[in-house]
Amino acid sequence: MAAARRKLIVVANRPPVSYGRDADGQRVERRGQGGLVTALRPLIAHHDVTWVASAMSDEDRLVAAEAGGGAIDGLGRTGELYRLRLVAHEHSAFERFYKQFANPVLWFIQHYLWNLADEPSFDGRLYEAWESYVEVNDGFAAAVVEQLAEEPDAAVWFHDYHLYLAPAVVRRAQPDATLSHFVHIPWPAPDYWTALPDAMRRAIHGSLLANDVVGFHTARWRDNFLDCAARLLGAEVEPESGTVEHDGRRTLVTACPISVDTAEFDELATSEEVLERERELVRARPEQLVIRVDRTDPAKNIVRGFRAFELYLERHPESCGRVTMLALLDPSRQDIPQYAAYRREIEAVVQHVNNRFGRGEWQPIVVEIRDDFPKSVAAYKQYDVLLANSIYDGMNLVAKEAPLVNTRDGVLILSENAGVDIELREWALTVNPFDIAGQADALHEALSLAPADRRRRADAIRDHVREHDIEAWLATQLADLDRVSALASS
Ligand code: F6P
């Protein structure tokens, strides 16, 4: 990593590890879930990191209580030391924060998922959920301020939509602290934000601008944020330099696409867990295999993907029995009604397509709804076509992870609304996520490409991801922090 070792306070809702008990009642540590945790793991290896996160399990709460609210020592994947500070929020406030505001309100607005004829409706319940969002953010801010008292020279790095309000609170307590915030999901255009009451959208945008740096994956999301700052707050925006003046402060707004830890995937691809699942896959594989790997999230556009496969089979009946779609879906946010309903929709469409086209042993769609990451990596190695057709996506790391370890010169079909599209569109087949017929055509094209063309595209994607890996992204983020720290002290 290019940047020198530095002190960082990383603030993210999910911790890098979560605690539980094994069958003998002994405390055990489990790897934290989610792409963000994976992406930030190399940071621990190279820098002096304190990670501030929500206590997720009952055991996490016990650990937090035993630490008296302070930080405990943790060990990274390859034995590096870091500190973990778990914030035990009031239980019902945390439930409302996570299940009623961060997801679905903010997630839905930022992925353009609302059907505005019906939702959102800001009744008493949503105002109460907002109050809980404020409360949890205040809890995070208090933990950061305490941590800064112990590590005054540390830079604070907030992540994601759970924590939009914390920077303003930290800034009031520590006017000279270096604060940065990375938003891992899309930023919609100002008109869509107007579905949120004025006070809420002002609080969110105003607090983000209490940071020295606000980062996005692509210029598309960054430019929307700049437009929002001007339109919704009346802030002074300089689009060329990406700076915003608001409330007497200047914030640098950047765009840099996150990537993957290529060494981790190389290691995983040859691990026994993955090889075992790969052997099973190979034994059962059809002539051509289309895969998708996603959380069961409406933003991932899983139902339209299956309908596109249905249309492909209808138009190319000769593919029946020869091409299978394997969907490995991680059940996500299942106690949020919209997510539970989306899972039912997924199951219904799969049943419909399989009833319509299945024959004998062959089922056109095979779905596994469970968390089995080694199985996903095995499928990454074996696909002929990877479908990543998100409605909107901040980045979509599957589109970077899978080509890295694929062994069959698989073709990538990519949504034009995924952040990763800007980097990989030259070598992928681009689709409009709403255009089911277009996706059916893309499936046909991908499954019929000449071997040399497939190889050229697959090699180019792999080379691109290897060159622009997670280390490069982290180095850019830290260089931006150095730039604003230098400006502040000059
Ligand atoms: O950036 C989006 C994100 O926070 C990812 O880090 C993560 O993979 C995903 O959402 C998971 O969300 P949750 O914490 O709700 O499971």
Side-chain angles (χ1 to χ4, degrees):
M1 183 173 290
R5 187 173 171 87
R6 60 180 306 161
K7 266 180 176 291
L8 287 168
I9 300 174
V10 168
V11 197
N13 183 47
R14 283 216 181 253
V17 292
S18 185
Y19 295 90
R21 294 268 167 177
D22 66 12
D24 302 328
Q26 296 300 311
R27 177 171 289 164
V28 286
E29 209 180 281
R30 302 193 179 102
R31 177 188 159 130
Q33 292 171 347
L36 178 63
V37 165
T38 311
L40 294 182
R41 198 166 297 122
L43 202 64
I44 290 168
H46 300 280
H47 298 277
D48 184 354
V49 174
T50 301
W51 190 305
V52 181
S54 293
M56 307 299 280
S57 63
D58 289 345
E59 199 63 24
D60 287 354
R61 291 170 172 277
L62 262 180
V63 170
E66 284 165 18
I72 55 164
D73 285 339
L75 277 188
R77 191 164 58 101
T78 43
E80 319 80 9
L81 211 65
Y82 71 101
R83 286 170 302 278
L84 174 62
R85 187 174 181 131
L86 290 169
V87 186
H89 308 286
E90 198 275 312
H91 187 67
S92 56
F94 185 71
E95 293 273 297
R96 283 190 296 271
F97 151 86
Y98 184 82
K99 292 181 188 166
Q100 293 177 21
F101 206 84
N103 318 295
V105 173
L106 291 175
W107 183 272
F108 269 51
I109 199 170
Q110 293 196 238
H111 293 82
Y112 293 91
L113 291 179
W114 275 331
N115 169 8
L116 290 177
D118 299 322
E119 285 187 295
S121 296
F122 280 87
D123 51 12
R125 182 176 160 276
L126 268 195
Y127 272 94
E128 208 188 328
W130 165 254
E131 287 310 320
S132 298
Y133 185 77
V134 173
E135 185 180 331
V136 168
N137 270 262
D138 284 347
F140 266 107
V144 170
V145 169
E146 272 182 29
Q147 200 58 39
L148 273 173
E150 285 175 36
E151 307 180 71
D153 49 344
V156 182
W157 197 10
F158 296 99
H159 289 269
D160 248 337
Y161 56 100
H162 311 91
L163 302 175
Y164 288 152
L165 302 181
V169 184
V170 175
R171 175 63 71 206
R172 277 196 293 279
Q174 293 281 349
D176 298 326
T178 303
L179 306 183
S180 178
H181 202 129
F182 201 93
V183 178
H184 292 265
I185 62 177
W187 202 268
D191 278 347
Y192 206 67
W193 277 104
T194 63
L196 219 56
D198 185 52
M200 294 184 195
R201 61 190 196 232
R202 277 182 166 275
I204 288 170
H205 287 83
S207 177
L208 277 169
L209 291 172
N211 289 288
D212 299 289
V213 186
V214 178
F216 295 91
H217 289 310
T218 70
R220 185 173 178 186
W221 317 139
R222 180 200 57 198
D223 293 350
N224 281 343
F225 179 78
L226 293 175
D227 288 349
C228 285
R231 272 268 310 279
L232 305 178
L233 285 183
E236 221 170 282
V237 173
E238 259 185 47
E240 300 76 44
S241 59
T243 52
V244 181
E245 296 255 356
H246 177 67
D247 236 1
R249 294 196 55 79
R250 174 177 277 245
T251 302
L252 177 67
V253 186
T254 62
C256 182
I258 200 166
S259 194
V260 296
D261 184 348
T262 56
E264 188 185 8
F265 277 89
D266 290 341
E267 219 176 279
L268 268 169
T270 53
S271 69
E272 196 37 53
E273 282 183 305
V274 169
L275 293 175
E276 192 190 312
R277 287 161 176 80
E278 193 183 1
R279 283 191 288 272
E280 277 165 30
L281 254 178
V282 170
R283 263 199 301 276
R285 67 163 296 127
E287 216 172 292
Q288 286 183 299
L289 180 65
V290 179
I291 70 158
R292 71 170 310 138
V293 177
D294 286 299
R295 287 182 303 105
T296 51
D297 193 308
K300 300 295 181 183
N301 210 16
I302 297 162
V303 170
R304 282 199 193 84
F306 290 148
R307 291 187 53 208
F309 189 58
E310 177 185 17
L311 188 57
Y312 162 77
L313 292 176
E314 183 184 307
R315 289 179 174 172
H316 302 279
E318 71 285 0
S319 297
C320 289
R322 295 173 44 221
V323 182
T324 301
M325 183 176 219
L326 171 65
L328 301 178
L329 307 176
D330 190 358
S332 184
R333 306 173 187 164
Q334 286 302 293
D335 35 18
I336 298 174
Q338 289 92 332
Y339 282 79
Y342 192 63
R343 180 178 172 156
R344 287 194 293 275
E345 250 188 89
I346 290 172
E347 287 164 341
V349 73
V350 171
Q351 200 176 32
H352 162 76
V353 178
N354 283 349
N355 285 344
R356 183 169 170 204
F357 290 103
R359 48 161 109 126
E361 292 279 278
W362 179 75
Q363 294 289 293
I365 303 175
V366 177
V367 171
E368 292 179 16
I369 304 185
R370 62 164 185 263
D371 176 11
D372 185 349
F373 193 54
K375 176 82 184 257
S376 301
V377 179
Y380 285 175
K381 292 173 77 180
Q382 283 296 325
Y383 71 85
D384 298 293
V385 175
L386 168 66
L387 179 63
N389 63 332
S390 318
I391 290 179
Y392 280 92
D393 220 329
M395 171 54 45
N396 193 308
L397 281 177
V398 170
K400 290 188 173 182
E401 292 167 358
L404 205 55
V405 294
N406 183 257
T407 58
R408 298 178 60 87
D409 294 332
V411 182
L412 173 62
I413 299 180
L414 194 52
S415 164
E416 62 183 344
N417 289 341
V420 67
D421 169 71
I422 196 82
E423 287 177 89
L424 302 185
R425 64 158 46 219
E426 193 181 339
W427 312 297
L429 301 183
T430 306
V431 289
N432 175 318
F434 308 103
D435 181 358
I436 289 175
Q439 288 166 61
D441 288 346
L443 282 165
H444 178 59
E445 188 184 348
L447 289 162
S448 334
L449 278 184
D453 198 5
R454 293 169 61 98
R455 162 141 308 176
R456 179 186 63 80
R457 291 166 186 265
D459 282 350
I461 294 177
R462 242 190 315 272
D463 291 350
H464 176 91
V465 177
R466 287 207 181 274
E467 190 182 339
H468 304 273
D469 64 356
I470 189 69
E471 302 272 347
W473 179 77
L474 285 170
T476 307
Q477 302 309 307
L478 298 175
D480 286 341
L481 271 181
D482 288 339
R483 249 166 80 197
V484 292
S485 308
L487 276 178
S489 57
S490 65

